[in-house]
Amino acid sequence: MNGETKRRILVVDDEINVCKSIRQAIESEEYEVETALSGEEALKKDAEKLYDLIITDLMMPGISGMDLLTSLKTVRPGVIVIIITGYPTIKTAVQSVKMGAFDYLPKPFTPNDLRSLVSRALKSAERKTEDSSLPPMPEDLFVMKGHTWVRDEGKHLVTVGILPEFLRSILSIAHLELQKENKSIFQGEVCARITDAEGHVHRVWSPVTGRVAQTNEKLKENLSFLKADPYGKGWLLRIESPDIEKDLESLSPLK
Amino acid sequence: MIMKRLMHIFLNLPLRMKFILSFLVVILFGGVLTLTLGTRLEHRTIFSLAQAKVRHDLASAWMVYNEKLSDIRDIIQLSSSQESIKDALQNNKKDVLLNYLSQVKNDFNLDVLNLTDAQGRILIRTSQPEISGDDQSGDSFVSRALRGETITATQIIPHEELMKEKGLAEQAYLKILPTPKAAPSPKEFEEDGMFLKAASPLIDGKGRILGILYGGILLNRNYEIVDRVKEIVFKGEKYKGKEIGTATIFQRDLRISTNVKKENGERAIGTRVSKEVNQAVLQKGKSWIHRAFVVNDWYISAYEPIKNIDAQIIGILYVGMLEKPYIDLRNKVMAKFAGMAILSVILLLVILFFITSSIIQPLQQMVNATKKIADGNLNHKVKINFQDEVGQLGHSFNQMTENLKKANEKLIQWGKTLEKRVEERTNELQEMQDSLIRSEKMASLGKMAAGVAHEINNPLTSILLNTHLMLEKVEKNSRLSENLNLIAEETSRCSEIVRGLLEFSRQNPPEKNFADVNEIINTTLGILENQVAFQNIKIIKKLSLNLPQIQLDINKMKQVFWNLMINAAEAMSEGGTLTIASRISENKKNIEIEFTDTGMGIPKEYINKLFDPFFTTKGGGTGLGLAVSYGIIEQHKGKIEVRSKEYKGSTFIISLPIS
């Protein structure tokens, strides 16, 4: 790839050291990385350069990460935003994704964590433009945007699966790891891990809080169901959720 | 002022005295009043009766008196109308006349019987025929008879005239005796006499007055009338040797004929009427009916004037009843009356005594009972004799005592309970206060921790990123690589610490989920077991197999167990035994988890501070572990307690509600 096809990434953090470290971690032949020390600066730079991906801290003086996300999404709905924060809560994570962020990464993180996410984010965007023929989505689902869907089965039981758009960015799935049965799990916590051919580990977040009632063992044997029948045989877990209504409130119902 | 004083004294008297005094006052007042009114009434009745009687008696006396007068008149008139006398007079037969008149005088007991001629000169003086010829025409009787009238009346005859008659001057003569209460008298004796006298003319066939016959009786020392009165009116009754009734004829104020007796038993002639009567009867001509002191005794008397022919008052007719019988009667009645009154008072007092006794005695008992009860003897009872108001009071009193006893017992019981409750409540309050202080400390600590976490995460990010970047560049398994890995690990640990701080600082509601407490214990233990700190420590698990799954924040609970196990290990740095137990509490409402070590124990003075943030006895600790744990257990509505004996070890007990 030549310099012109390089993807442009903007890192926004009010601490210059963090900016520098992140740049070093992801700067490569594929990515051109720039930094901004405030939300205002970020908006200015983006207006000029139209970045492919913006990684922003959440807590900043002036325009906060959430404000920046909203502004960017209003101007350019297609922009990919990854939120990083040193003050992580499951709630902010879920909320930022609901607002249109691609994903969320709590500080501190390793270069690999970040690279996996960046790679998945950019690829997802590529695929989106290339092939828009995703399987049709049933209407009774709630989604944790970009990650998982959830179907209310009644009696506090829900089925959870991976959204096709999450898998879109992963070229080939090498391994699937599911949370074990009877394990307790929280909304926004990892409920599955997918390792791709490149060795990147992608964390899949649970859309609800509860106890794992059942795992889809058949899926482990035939991973193709994940992409072929994401809302059917490709389901991941059945979770017994004591407070499902509250959980669903923070999710988006399907359009 | 005095009334007030008396009232005060009265009100402070014993009840019985009050009763008796009150009754006495009423009785005495009533008694005296009735006695006074009664005696007065009775007095009046008796005396008005007596007076009416004496008035009547006086009338009877007048009848006797007038009868006598009328007798004399009849004799004179009869004699004067005798033809034989007229003949003898016309024929001047003095012998015949004297003879006849003497006989009449003797027959009818006349003191005087004289005959005059037509000019009023005495022809015959029966008592002393030698003296005659004196002119009597000046006498009011004779002068009127000369005009043809027959006259009868009482008349006072002067001494000179008496002298002409035989023996009359002596009979009339009275020595005036000194009399108490009488008006003073200038005279020492009385020589005039008082007569019942009649005069009648002798008239011939042609209507010429031939002469005048006059006669009468001398009342002085003549007791015929008074004794008759006594006999007729009083029937001679006597009272204690004294005549009840008396009668008297007064010549002016002098007693000339009477049956009133002197001390010596003689008739009290020569004594005089009292000044009072003198005034009323002699001077004013009124009749006088009253009690009067007659000679030597009190009489209920009636006096009326005796008048002469010219209606001049010349004397008094008197009747009197001895007052004494009436007085005695009155006194007798009064005595009876008083006796009855005294008897009634005595009877009343006796009754009163018994009545007051029947009231006061139970009251006294009650007073004693009250004293006993006041002294604390609540078992004392009042004896009840009768079912009257006092008895009812006794019943009520006993009931009250009974209730008092119960209330007292209740109070004592309550006091005991209260003490216990106060103690419990004090402990609760103490706990609450401790908890509040802790919460406040935690809140301020939370703010700080949040700030610190945010600030530290940024440098940690840089360090972690750069370490990994460097790792990517150095040869694997090289010494540098090892060093860098160590940095990366420690950075991750820092990050965990920060996360812990954040957990603590957020205090957001726990993310509750169904979980098995034993599993959390096992998981936590699984990670810790292999750590160096646990190498000398024997771990005993006493986990109940039938614990229900409960809703809790698994991660937070893990953190709690982690903290407790780490603490235990650190308390047993020389080695020891950690016993972990889980069970359902006795009341089945909680799951209890116990961590018991055999370490150094916690000094007493630290026990209360143990859960305070930043309280630490370890050199390197943050002092947050137990504070965070406490907060988490509280968020689960559970309890965490510690029991410790120095040098023996400590036990932490977590209690979590099942529902």
Side-chain angles (χ1 to χ4, degrees), chain B residues 311-324:
Chain B
Q312 289 166 328
I313 297 161
I314 52 167
I316 301 167
L317 180 64
Y318 151 92
V319 290
M321 287 186 295
L322 196 62
E323 193 192 48
K324 204 144 171 109

Side-chain angles (χ1 to χ4, degrees), chain B residues 20-37:
Chain B
I20 289 173
L21 270 180
S22 310
F23 273 74
L24 268 182
V25 165
V26 172
I27 289 165
L28 286 183
F29 183 74
V32 166
L33 205 69
T34 29
L35 211 64
T36 321
L37 287 176

Side-chain angles (χ1 to χ4, degrees), chain B residues 18 65 84 91 216 230 241 281 288 300 369 374 380 406 433 454 474 493 498 518 525 532 549 557 564 607 610 657:
Chain B
K18 259 188 234 174
Y65 186 87
S84 55
N91 301 319
K230 191 179 87 180
V281 183
W288 195 87
I300 301 163
H380 188 78
K406 278 182 195 161
Q433 199 188 12
H454 184 245
V474 300
R493 208 164 77 85
V498 169
N518 287 344
L525 201 56
V532 186
Q549 289 212 342
M557 205 51 66
L564 292 178
I607 294 260
L610 211 56

Side-chain angles (χ1 to χ4, degrees), chain B residues 612 614-624:
Chain B
D612 288 355
F614 299 116
F615 176 79
T616 178
T617 53
K618 301 179 281 192
T622 57
L624 279 173

Side-chain angles (χ1 to χ4, degrees), chain B residues 164-296:
Chain B
K164 292 171 185 169
E165 302 286 338
K166 193 183 173 191
L168 287 189
E170 291 77 30
Q171 190 187 332
Y173 178 86
L174 276 172
K175 204 179 166 205
I176 293 172
L177 301 170
T179 314
K181 294 195 180 190
S185 165
K187 292 203 273 185
E188 285 182 14
F189 48 85
E190 181 62 62
E191 289 175 310
D192 296 344
M194 194 154 90
F195 273 82
L196 295 181
K197 186 174 169 184
S200 184
L202 282 84
I203 300 167
D204 66 4
K206 290 166 187 166
R208 286 177 297 170
I209 294 170
L210 304 174
I212 303 295
L213 181 68
Y214 73 92
I217 53 169
L218 180 62
L219 291 174
N220 301 36
R221 286 201 172 92
N222 181 339
Y223 308 113
E224 191 197 333
I225 292 173
V226 290
D227 285 350
R228 202 122 183 263
V229 168
K230 191 179 87 180
E231 231 153 85
I232 291 171
V233 177
F234 302 109
K235 287 155 192 99
E237 277 179 52
K238 287 187 172 186
Y239 184 79
K240 292 183 181 168
K242 271 193 171 170
E243 305 286 349
I244 279 189
T246 55
T248 302
I249 296 164
F250 291 87
Q251 178 181 329
R252 288 188 279 269
D253 67 343
L254 186 72
R255 270 186 195 85
I256 52 168
S257 170
T258 183
N259 38 38
V260 176
K261 301 267 171 67
K262 292 192 284 191
E263 310 266 332
N264 55 15
E266 288 172 13
R267 294 187 189 249
I269 49 169
T271 58
R272 296 186 305 140
V273 78
S274 70
K275 197 178 172 186
E276 255 184 309
V277 179
N278 187 330
Q279 283 258 329
V281 183
L282 285 180
Q283 313 292 329
K284 293 181 184 164
K286 289 178 182 171
S287 55
W288 195 87
I289 298 170
H290 221 286
R291 57 196 292 263
F293 192 80
V294 178
V295 185
N296 51 17

